[in-house]
Amino acid sequence: MTNLDRFIETFLNGTVLAKYAPEILQGVWVTIELSVLIVIAGTLWGALLACIRAYRIWPVSFLIVIYADIFRALPPLVLILLVFFGLPNLGVTLSSFAVLFVILGLTLGAFAEEIIWAGITATDKGQWEAARSTGLGFTQTLGYVVLPQAVRMVIPPLTNRAIAITKMTALGTVIGVPDILNQATTAQSFSGNASPLTLAALAYVVLFLPFVILSRWLESRFAWKKG
Amino acid sequence: MSPVVLDSSLNQGKPAPVEKRPTLEVIGLKKSFGTVEVLKNVSLQVAKSEMVFVLGRSGSGKSTMLRCCNRLEEPNSGDILLEGEKITGRGVNLDRLRRRIGMVFQSFNLYPHLDARGNVTLALRKVLKLSRDEARARADTALARVGLADKAENYPSQLSGGQQQRVAIARAIALEPAVMLFDEPTSALDPELVGDVLGVMRELKQDGMTMLVVSHEMAFAREAADRVVFMADGEIVEEGPPEDLFGNPQHERTRAFLARYSQ
């Protein structure tokens, strides 16, 4: 048996691949579901916090900054383990899916808040003045004039962060979320063969490549030349 | 200050009599940024359909004075009256007030994510609560007035500086304000584009718009303004009809300024 044969036998074993593909496909659906939920909830939550911060009510802004800093500083895995194994002691039991969604959603929300806030502060002061001078109120100016520009400005860092955090759904494996990686490692244990991991890698590429391409499209779609 | 007697100095410190209320009245305006006194007791009146030009070197306080008129800048003391109604102090609904005062900025400040029509309709829709069709009709009328009927669907980045400033003017006049404030409207424009914007301002004047203009366009001031005000160091030094102020300036500082700018 040559090295190449051994490699193919271990990582690209046709029989094993065929046998466990349906389970990994199930994992793909779980990962997709989680990713979509996390991106939507995290981005909206971050945008909401950034808008609230724009009112510059200092105790509120202070709390937002504390939240954003903590969630950006802590590794999500620590929070996932802490919440999943800690909360039941307080009488709260969340499913592993829910814990993963909440923690990653809050993590993305923290980054999204900081990124969108940066966009809001980078929006030209003249935009505020022009809108306010036509009688638009603060909230209207924020919603119709500043936020649309701020979000467009920060789409590249925002999509990068969203991709980085949705990839962390693989962390769900440690608390038993049946995502791609979990399905693959389980299949690996049962079969005693690493081919399901190859399939998982392939699934991640197939899953995230369109996401990356979509983000490139968003970047070009919403970019405009400064006049 | 030389003892020149001016129209406005007769009224200094008190509002004009009710029967001939000016559209915009600035009374004893004072403003400091930290320890720097930017406005020292400025009083000024703009009558209905009058075009008043404010001249002065940068740092003379003219832009600050203008920005106090719609309270983008808060004066420390003094009053501003719009059509006889006091608009300074607490308890004034700023959003309600500002729709009656149009403002045009040096840097245009068009919304880059909206096309020309969208720039004009935003306040019509959200402030005046007009229907989509009404707002659109009014925006197109305003764009036609500034000569840009065919650019309604262009985004600011697709327009020249002069066209952008005209859209900004359309955005302001669409709200049918009682007075228009112009803060150096042509200073950011290439020389060949200045004429278009001044042309629009001339037409507005012919249509009876009340305008307070901070600008360095001396030739235009001389030709189109009803009255010219010269400011220096936060004070009004001299004011009068353009032929007097340009032709026979009374104050040393006015003469120095005009000599510098007519070179």
Side-chain angles (χ1 to χ4, degrees), chain B residues 165-198:
Chain B
Q165 191 61 297
R166 281 145 69 197
V167 172
I169 293 173
R171 176 171 69 182
I173 61 174
L175 290 160
E176 297 173 354
V179 61
M180 287 273 288
L181 309 174
F182 290 84
D183 190 5
E184 308 206 18
T186 56
S187 299
L189 294 177
D190 293 335
E192 73 270 20
L193 301 174
V194 168
D196 292 342
V197 172
L198 296 182

PDB file of all heavy atoms in Angstrom, chain B residues 165-198:
ATOM      1  N   GLN B 165     -25.109  71.893  -5.982  1.00  0.00           N
ATOM      2  CA  GLN B 165     -25.553  73.018  -5.159  1.00  0.00           C
ATOM      3  C   GLN B 165     -26.962  73.453  -5.566  1.00  0.00           C
ATOM      4  O   GLN B 165     -27.760  73.862  -4.717  1.00  0.00           O
ATOM      5  CB  GLN B 165     -24.544  74.180  -5.278  1.00  0.00           C
ATOM      6  CG  GLN B 165     -24.773  75.292  -4.277  1.00  0.00           C
ATOM      7  CD  GLN B 165     -24.650  74.831  -2.835  1.00  0.00           C
ATOM      8  OE1 GLN B 165     -25.435  73.991  -2.375  1.00  0.00           O
ATOM      9  NE2 GLN B 165     -23.688  75.368  -2.112  1.00  0.00           N
ATOM     10  N   ARG B 166     -27.278  73.326  -6.842  1.00  0.00           N
ATOM     11  CA  ARG B 166     -28.631  73.696  -7.274  1.00  0.00           C
ATOM     12  C   ARG B 166     -29.663  72.695  -6.742  1.00  0.00           C
ATOM     13  O   ARG B 166     -30.779  73.072  -6.389  1.00  0.00           O
ATOM     14  CB  ARG B 166     -28.681  73.818  -8.793  1.00  0.00           C
ATOM     15  CG  ARG B 166     -28.095  75.161  -9.259  1.00  0.00           C
ATOM     16  CD  ARG B 166     -27.364  75.032 -10.563  1.00  0.00           C
ATOM     17  NE  ARG B 166     -28.263  74.763 -11.678  1.00  0.00           N
ATOM     18  CZ  ARG B 166     -27.857  74.290 -12.859  1.00  0.00           C
ATOM     19  NH1 ARG B 166     -26.583  74.019 -13.062  1.00  0.00           N
ATOM     20  NH2 ARG B 166     -28.732  74.084 -13.816  1.00  0.00           N
ATOM     21  N   VAL B 167     -29.295  71.416  -6.678  1.00  0.00           N
ATOM     22  CA  VAL B 167     -30.199  70.436  -6.049  1.00  0.00           C
ATOM     23  C   VAL B 167     -30.394  70.805  -4.578  1.00  0.00           C
ATOM     24  O   VAL B 167     -31.510  70.743  -4.046  1.00  0.00           O
ATOM     25  CB  VAL B 167     -29.643  68.994  -6.174  1.00  0.00           C
ATOM     26  CG1 VAL B 167     -30.496  68.028  -5.355  1.00  0.00           C
ATOM     27  CG2 VAL B 167     -29.599  68.562  -7.617  1.00  0.00           C
ATOM     28  N   ALA B 168     -29.308  71.230  -3.924  1.00  0.00           N
ATOM     29  CA  ALA B 168     -29.406  71.620  -2.512  1.00  0.00           C
ATOM     30  C   ALA B 168     -30.362  72.812  -2.365  1.00  0.00           C
ATOM     31  O   ALA B 168     -31.132  72.892  -1.413  1.00  0.00           O
ATOM     32  CB  ALA B 168     -28.022  71.956  -1.960  1.00  0.00           C
ATOM     33  N   ILE B 169     -30.301  73.727  -3.325  1.00  0.00           N
ATOM     34  CA  ILE B 169     -31.222  74.872  -3.287  1.00  0.00           C
ATOM     35  C   ILE B 169     -32.661  74.383  -3.500  1.00  0.00           C
ATOM     36  O   ILE B 169     -33.588  74.795  -2.792  1.00  0.00           O
ATOM     37  CB  ILE B 169     -30.823  75.931  -4.352  1.00  0.00           C
ATOM     38  CG1 ILE B 169     -29.476  76.560  -3.982  1.00  0.00           C
ATOM     39  CG2 ILE B 169     -31.905  77.012  -4.474  1.00  0.00           C
ATOM     40  CD1 ILE B 169     -28.903  77.496  -5.041  1.00  0.00           C
ATOM     41  N   ALA B 170     -32.831  73.457  -4.443  1.00  0.00           N
ATOM     42  CA  ALA B 170     -34.174  72.898  -4.686  1.00  0.00           C
ATOM     43  C   ALA B 170     -34.705  72.216  -3.431  1.00  0.00           C
ATOM     44  O   ALA B 170     -35.878  72.354  -3.077  1.00  0.00           O
ATOM     45  CB  ALA B 170     -34.126  71.905  -5.844  1.00  0.00           C
ATOM     46  N   ARG B 171     -33.835  71.486  -2.744  1.00  0.00           N
ATOM     47  CA  ARG B 171     -34.227  70.807  -1.512  1.00  0.00           C
ATOM     48  C   ARG B 171     -34.755  71.808  -0.480  1.00  0.00           C
ATOM     49  O   ARG B 171     -35.726  71.535   0.234  1.00  0.00           O
ATOM     50  CB  ARG B 171     -32.996  70.059  -0.948  1.00  0.00           C
ATOM     51  CG  ARG B 171     -33.222  69.383   0.377  1.00  0.00           C
ATOM     52  CD  ARG B 171     -32.046  68.492   0.755  1.00  0.00           C
ATOM     53  NE  ARG B 171     -30.836  69.241   1.074  1.00  0.00           N
ATOM     54  CZ  ARG B 171     -29.664  68.687   1.393  1.00  0.00           C
ATOM     55  NH1 ARG B 171     -29.545  67.379   1.416  1.00  0.00           N
ATOM     56  NH2 ARG B 171     -28.612  69.437   1.660  1.00  0.00           N
ATOM     57  N   ALA B 172     -34.114  72.968  -0.427  1.00  0.00           N
ATOM     58  CA  ALA B 172     -34.541  73.980   0.542  1.00  0.00           C
ATOM     59  C   ALA B 172     -35.813  74.696   0.088  1.00  0.00           C
ATOM     60  O   ALA B 172     -36.743  74.871   0.875  1.00  0.00           O
ATOM     61  CB  ALA B 172     -33.409  74.984   0.775  1.00  0.00           C
ATOM     62  N   ILE B 173     -35.887  75.108  -1.187  1.00  0.00           N
ATOM     63  CA  ILE B 173     -37.049  75.905  -1.604  1.00  0.00           C
ATOM     64  C   ILE B 173     -38.320  75.071  -1.702  1.00  0.00           C
ATOM     65  O   ILE B 173     -39.416  75.600  -1.617  1.00  0.00           O
ATOM     66  CB  ILE B 173     -36.816  76.655  -2.946  1.00  0.00           C
ATOM     67  CG1 ILE B 173     -36.535  75.672  -4.086  1.00  0.00           C
ATOM     68  CG2 ILE B 173     -35.725  77.683  -2.816  1.00  0.00           C
ATOM     69  CD1 ILE B 173     -36.446  76.343  -5.463  1.00  0.00           C
ATOM     70  N   ALA B 174     -38.160  73.752  -1.876  1.00  0.00           N
ATOM     71  CA  ALA B 174     -39.350  72.891  -1.971  1.00  0.00           C
ATOM     72  C   ALA B 174     -40.195  72.972  -0.701  1.00  0.00           C
ATOM     73  O   ALA B 174     -41.400  72.729  -0.737  1.00  0.00           O
ATOM     74  CB  ALA B 174     -38.942  71.445  -2.236  1.00  0.00           C
ATOM     75  N   LEU B 175     -39.568  73.310   0.407  1.00  0.00           N
ATOM     76  CA  LEU B 175     -40.299  73.430   1.675  1.00  0.00           C
ATOM     77  C   LEU B 175     -40.982  74.790   1.801  1.00  0.00           C
ATOM     78  O   LEU B 175     -41.616  75.083   2.814  1.00  0.00           O
ATOM     79  CB  LEU B 175     -39.340  73.220   2.853  1.00  0.00           C
ATOM     80  CG  LEU B 175     -38.827  71.780   3.024  1.00  0.00           C
ATOM     81  CD1 LEU B 175     -37.561  71.752   3.860  1.00  0.00           C
ATOM     82  CD2 LEU B 175     -39.899  70.910   3.668  1.00  0.00           C
ATOM     83  N   GLU B 176     -40.815  75.627   0.769  1.00  0.00           N
ATOM     84  CA  GLU B 176     -41.405  76.971   0.738  1.00  0.00           C
ATOM     85  C   GLU B 176     -41.097  77.757   2.000  1.00  0.00           C
ATOM     86  O   GLU B 176     -42.000  78.171   2.740  1.00  0.00           O
ATOM     87  CB  GLU B 176     -42.923  76.871   0.484  1.00  0.00           C
ATOM     88  CG  GLU B 176     -43.194  76.248  -0.877  1.00  0.00           C
ATOM     89  CD  GLU B 176     -44.675  75.972  -1.132  1.00  0.00           C
ATOM     90  OE1 GLU B 176     -45.479  76.157  -0.201  1.00  0.00           O
ATOM     91  OE2 GLU B 176     -44.999  75.573  -2.268  1.00  0.00           O
ATOM     92  N   PRO B 177     -39.810  77.977   2.257  1.00  0.00           N
ATOM     93  CA  PRO B 177     -39.417  78.657   3.492  1.00  0.00           C
ATOM     94  C   PRO B 177     -39.707  80.162   3.425  1.00  0.00           C
ATOM     95  O   PRO B 177     -39.856  80.725   2.344  1.00  0.00           O
ATOM     96  CB  PRO B 177     -37.909  78.406   3.559  1.00  0.00           C
ATOM     97  CG  PRO B 177     -37.481  78.262   2.136  1.00  0.00           C
ATOM     98  CD  PRO B 177     -38.639  77.629   1.414  1.00  0.00           C
ATOM     99  N   ALA B 178     -39.788  80.773   4.607  1.00  0.00           N
ATOM    100  CA  ALA B 178     -40.002  82.213   4.674  1.00  0.00           C
ATOM    101  C   ALA B 178     -38.717  82.955   4.349  1.00  0.00           C
ATOM    102  O   ALA B 178     -38.735  84.079   3.855  1.00  0.00           O
ATOM    103  CB  ALA B 178     -40.484  82.599   6.077  1.00  0.00           C
ATOM    104  N   VAL B 179     -37.598  82.320   4.643  1.00  0.00           N
ATOM    105  CA  VAL B 179     -36.308  82.951   4.370  1.00  0.00           C
ATOM    106  C   VAL B 179     -35.301  81.860   4.014  1.00  0.00           C
ATOM    107  O   VAL B 179     -35.412  80.722   4.471  1.00  0.00           O
ATOM    108  CB  VAL B 179     -35.822  83.780   5.599  1.00  0.00           C
ATOM    109  CG1 VAL B 179     -35.637  82.904   6.828  1.00  0.00           C
ATOM    110  CG2 VAL B 179     -34.530  84.525   5.295  1.00  0.00           C
ATOM    111  N   MET B 180     -34.353  82.232   3.160  1.00  0.00           N
ATOM    112  CA  MET B 180     -33.287  81.292   2.794  1.00  0.00           C
ATOM    113  C   MET B 180     -31.954  81.825   3.294  1.00  0.00           C
ATOM    114  O   MET B 180     -31.625  82.997   3.108  1.00  0.00           O
ATOM    115  CB  MET B 180     -33.211  81.146   1.270  1.00  0.00           C
ATOM    116  CG  MET B 180     -34.341  80.363   0.650  1.00  0.00           C
ATOM    117  SD  MET B 180     -34.013  78.592   0.644  1.00  0.00           S
ATOM    118  CE  MET B 180     -32.737  78.506  -0.611  1.00  0.00           C
ATOM    119  N   LEU B 181     -31.187  80.936   3.907  1.00  0.00           N
ATOM    120  CA  LEU B 181     -29.856  81.290   4.372  1.00  0.00           C
ATOM    121  C   LEU B 181     -28.843  80.615   3.445  1.00  0.00           C
ATOM    122  O   LEU B 181     -28.940  79.412   3.195  1.00  0.00           O
ATOM    123  CB  LEU B 181     -29.638  80.790   5.803  1.00  0.00           C
ATOM    124  CG  LEU B 181     -30.703  81.160   6.836  1.00  0.00           C
ATOM    125  CD1 LEU B 181     -30.419  80.461   8.166  1.00  0.00           C
ATOM    126  CD2 LEU B 181     -30.755  82.674   7.035  1.00  0.00           C
ATOM    127  N   PHE B 182     -27.906  81.374   2.949  1.00  0.00           N
ATOM    128  CA  PHE B 182     -26.863  80.812   2.078  1.00  0.00           C
ATOM    129  C   PHE B 182     -25.514  80.987   2.768  1.00  0.00           C
ATOM    130  O   PHE B 182     -25.094  82.107   3.016  1.00  0.00           O
ATOM    131  CB  PHE B 182     -26.826  81.526   0.719  1.00  0.00           C
ATOM    132  CG  PHE B 182     -28.008  81.244  -0.158  1.00  0.00           C
ATOM    133  CD1 PHE B 182     -29.188  81.974  -0.017  1.00  0.00           C
ATOM    134  CD2 PHE B 182     -27.947  80.264  -1.137  1.00  0.00           C
ATOM    135  CE1 PHE B 182     -30.283  81.719  -0.836  1.00  0.00           C
ATOM    136  CE2 PHE B 182     -29.025  80.005  -1.966  1.00  0.00           C
ATOM    137  CZ  PHE B 182     -30.204  80.734  -1.811  1.00  0.00           C
ATOM    138  N   ASP B 183     -24.858  79.866   3.057  1.00  0.00           N
ATOM    139  CA  ASP B 183     -23.562  79.935   3.734  1.00  0.00           C
ATOM    140  C   ASP B 183     -22.449  79.661   2.718  1.00  0.00           C
ATOM    141  O   ASP B 183     -22.128  78.521   2.447  1.00  0.00           O
ATOM    142  CB  ASP B 183     -23.515  78.900   4.869  1.00  0.00           C
ATOM    143  CG  ASP B 183     -22.301  79.076   5.755  1.00  0.00           C
ATOM    144  OD1 ASP B 183     -21.545  80.051   5.542  1.00  0.00           O
ATOM    145  OD2 ASP B 183     -22.100  78.246   6.659  1.00  0.00           O
ATOM    146  N   GLU B 184     -21.906  80.725   2.159  1.00  0.00           N
ATOM    147  CA  GLU B 184     -20.863  80.628   1.130  1.00  0.00           C
ATOM    148  C   GLU B 184     -21.222  79.591   0.056  1.00  0.00           C
ATOM    149  O   GLU B 184     -20.487  78.618  -0.147  1.00  0.00           O
ATOM    150  CB  GLU B 184     -19.514  80.288   1.763  1.00  0.00           C
ATOM    151  CG  GLU B 184     -19.172  81.242   2.890  1.00  0.00           C
ATOM    152  CD  GLU B 184     -17.674  81.388   3.124  1.00  0.00           C
ATOM    153  OE1 GLU B 184     -16.897  81.037   2.215  1.00  0.00           O
ATOM    154  OE2 GLU B 184     -17.300  81.865   4.195  1.00  0.00           O
ATOM    155  N   PRO B 185     -22.328  79.806  -0.636  1.00  0.00           N
ATOM    156  CA  PRO B 185     -22.836  78.768  -1.544  1.00  0.00           C
ATOM    157  C   PRO B 185     -21.934  78.472  -2.734  1.00  0.00           C
ATOM    158  O   PRO B 185     -22.072  77.419  -3.343  1.00  0.00           O
ATOM    159  CB  PRO B 185     -24.173  79.346  -2.016  1.00  0.00           C
ATOM    160  CG  PRO B 185     -24.032  80.816  -1.846  1.00  0.00           C
ATOM    161  CD  PRO B 185     -23.177  81.010  -0.639  1.00  0.00           C
ATOM    162  N   THR B 186     -21.031  79.385  -3.071  1.00  0.00           N
ATOM    163  CA  THR B 186     -20.218  79.147  -4.274  1.00  0.00           C
ATOM    164  C   THR B 186     -18.739  78.940  -3.950  1.00  0.00           C
ATOM    165  O   THR B 186     -17.928  78.761  -4.844  1.00  0.00           O
ATOM    166  CB  THR B 186     -20.330  80.344  -5.246  1.00  0.00           C
ATOM    167  OG1 THR B 186     -19.939  81.534  -4.547  1.00  0.00           O
ATOM    168  CG2 THR B 186     -21.743  80.493  -5.765  1.00  0.00           C
ATOM    169  N   SER B 187     -18.398  78.928  -2.661  1.00  0.00           N
ATOM    170  CA  SER B 187     -16.970  78.887  -2.304  1.00  0.00           C
ATOM    171  C   SER B 187     -16.297  77.572  -2.659  1.00  0.00           C
ATOM    172  O   SER B 187     -15.087  77.510  -2.824  1.00  0.00           O
ATOM    173  CB  SER B 187     -16.787  79.151  -0.811  1.00  0.00           C
ATOM    174  OG  SER B 187     -17.281  80.412  -0.486  1.00  0.00           O
ATOM    175  N   ALA B 188     -17.088  76.491  -2.747  1.00  0.00           N
ATOM    176  CA  ALA B 188     -16.481  75.188  -3.034  1.00  0.00           C
ATOM    177  C   ALA B 188     -16.563  74.846  -4.521  1.00  0.00           C
ATOM    178  O   ALA B 188     -16.276  73.733  -4.917  1.00  0.00           O
ATOM    179  CB  ALA B 188     -17.171  74.104  -2.212  1.00  0.00           C
ATOM    180  N   LEU B 189     -16.981  75.820  -5.328  1.00  0.00           N
ATOM    181  CA  LEU B 189     -17.218  75.519  -6.746  1.00  0.00           C
ATOM    182  C   LEU B 189     -16.068  75.976  -7.633  1.00  0.00           C
ATOM    183  O   LEU B 189     -15.391  76.963  -7.343  1.00  0.00           O
ATOM    184  CB  LEU B 189     -18.500  76.222  -7.211  1.00  0.00           C
ATOM    185  CG  LEU B 189     -19.806  75.752  -6.584  1.00  0.00           C
ATOM    186  CD1 LEU B 189     -20.958  76.602  -7.113  1.00  0.00           C
ATOM    187  CD2 LEU B 189     -20.034  74.289  -6.891  1.00  0.00           C
ATOM    188  N   ASP B 190     -15.870  75.246  -8.729  1.00  0.00           N
ATOM    189  CA  ASP B 190     -14.943  75.710  -9.755  1.00  0.00           C
ATOM    190  C   ASP B 190     -15.511  77.000 -10.332  1.00  0.00           C
ATOM    191  O   ASP B 190     -16.722  77.148 -10.467  1.00  0.00           O
ATOM    192  CB  ASP B 190     -14.826  74.667 -10.876  1.00  0.00           C
ATOM    193  CG  ASP B 190     -14.157  73.395 -10.380  1.00  0.00           C
ATOM    194  OD1 ASP B 190     -13.387  73.485  -9.397  1.00  0.00           O
ATOM    195  OD2 ASP B 190     -14.411  72.326 -10.956  1.00  0.00           O
ATOM    196  N   PRO B 191     -14.608  77.922 -10.703  1.00  0.00           N
ATOM    197  CA  PRO B 191     -15.080  79.241 -11.164  1.00  0.00           C
ATOM    198  C   PRO B 191     -16.131  79.161 -12.261  1.00  0.00           C
ATOM    199  O   PRO B 191     -17.098  79.930 -12.247  1.00  0.00           O
ATOM    200  CB  PRO B 191     -13.794  79.900 -11.667  1.00  0.00           C
ATOM    201  CG  PRO B 191     -12.700  79.236 -10.912  1.00  0.00           C
ATOM    202  CD  PRO B 191     -13.151  77.835 -10.646  1.00  0.00           C
ATOM    203  N   GLU B 192     -15.989  78.214 -13.193  1.00  0.00           N
ATOM    204  CA  GLU B 192     -16.934  78.191 -14.320  1.00  0.00           C
ATOM    205  C   GLU B 192     -18.326  77.705 -13.913  1.00  0.00           C
ATOM    206  O   GLU B 192     -19.263  77.813 -14.684  1.00  0.00           O
ATOM    207  CB  GLU B 192     -16.378  77.372 -15.495  1.00  0.00           C
ATOM    208  CG  GLU B 192     -16.368  75.867 -15.276  1.00  0.00           C
ATOM    209  CD  GLU B 192     -15.079  75.371 -14.647  1.00  0.00           C
ATOM    210  OE1 GLU B 192     -14.358  76.191 -14.029  1.00  0.00           O
ATOM    211  OE2 GLU B 192     -14.795  74.163 -14.757  1.00  0.00           O
ATOM    212  N   LEU B 193     -18.448  77.160 -12.691  1.00  0.00           N
ATOM    213  CA  LEU B 193     -19.747  76.647 -12.250  1.00  0.00           C
ATOM    214  C   LEU B 193     -20.479  77.629 -11.332  1.00  0.00           C
ATOM    215  O   LEU B 193     -21.645  77.439 -11.010  1.00  0.00           O
ATOM    216  CB  LEU B 193     -19.566  75.318 -11.504  1.00  0.00           C
ATOM    217  CG  LEU B 193     -18.893  74.194 -12.302  1.00  0.00           C
ATOM    218  CD1 LEU B 193     -18.642  72.998 -11.423  1.00  0.00           C
ATOM    219  CD2 LEU B 193     -19.747  73.813 -13.499  1.00  0.00           C
ATOM    220  N   VAL B 194     -19.750  78.685 -10.918  1.00  0.00           N
ATOM    221  CA  VAL B 194     -20.328  79.650  -9.979  1.00  0.00           C
ATOM    222  C   VAL B 194     -21.544  80.334 -10.584  1.00  0.00           C
ATOM    223  O   VAL B 194     -22.564  80.520  -9.935  1.00  0.00           O
ATOM    224  CB  VAL B 194     -19.253  80.681  -9.556  1.00  0.00           C
ATOM    225  CG1 VAL B 194     -19.876  81.850  -8.829  1.00  0.00           C
ATOM    226  CG2 VAL B 194     -18.186  80.008  -8.706  1.00  0.00           C
ATOM    227  N   GLY B 195     -21.436  80.665 -11.875  1.00  0.00           N
ATOM    228  CA  GLY B 195     -22.477  81.436 -12.540  1.00  0.00           C
ATOM    229  C   GLY B 195     -23.853  80.789 -12.486  1.00  0.00           C
ATOM    230  O   GLY B 195     -24.855  81.477 -12.276  1.00  0.00           O
ATOM    231  N   ASP B 196     -23.891  79.456 -12.626  1.00  0.00           N
ATOM    232  CA  ASP B 196     -25.179  78.749 -12.607  1.00  0.00           C
ATOM    233  C   ASP B 196     -25.883  78.944 -11.273  1.00  0.00           C
ATOM    234  O   ASP B 196     -27.090  79.180 -11.211  1.00  0.00           O
ATOM    235  CB  ASP B 196     -24.967  77.240 -12.811  1.00  0.00           C
ATOM    236  CG  ASP B 196     -24.483  76.937 -14.216  1.00  0.00           C
ATOM    237  OD1 ASP B 196     -24.651  77.813 -15.085  1.00  0.00           O
ATOM    238  OD2 ASP B 196     -23.946  75.822 -14.416  1.00  0.00           O
ATOM    239  N   VAL B 197     -25.110  78.808 -10.200  1.00  0.00           N
ATOM    240  CA  VAL B 197     -25.700  78.923  -8.867  1.00  0.00           C
ATOM    241  C   VAL B 197     -26.158  80.357  -8.620  1.00  0.00           C
ATOM    242  O   VAL B 197     -27.266  80.590  -8.124  1.00  0.00           O
ATOM    243  CB  VAL B 197     -24.688  78.458  -7.789  1.00  0.00           C
ATOM    244  CG1 VAL B 197     -25.217  78.757  -6.400  1.00  0.00           C
ATOM    245  CG2 VAL B 197     -24.408  76.963  -7.952  1.00  0.00           C
ATOM    246  N   LEU B 198     -25.330  81.314  -9.008  1.00  0.00           N
ATOM    247  CA  LEU B 198     -25.726  82.718  -8.825  1.00  0.00           C
ATOM    248  C   LEU B 198     -26.959  83.036  -9.664  1.00  0.00           C
ATOM    249  O   LEU B 198     -27.837  83.789  -9.227  1.00  0.00           O
ATOM    250  CB  LEU B 198     -24.565  83.646  -9.187  1.00  0.00           C
ATOM    251  CG  LEU B 198     -23.319  83.521  -8.298  1.00  0.00           C
ATOM    252  CD1 LEU B 198     -22.257  84.531  -8.741  1.00  0.00           C
ATOM    253  CD2 LEU B 198     -23.657  83.727  -6.827  1.00  0.00           C
TER     254      LEU B 198
END
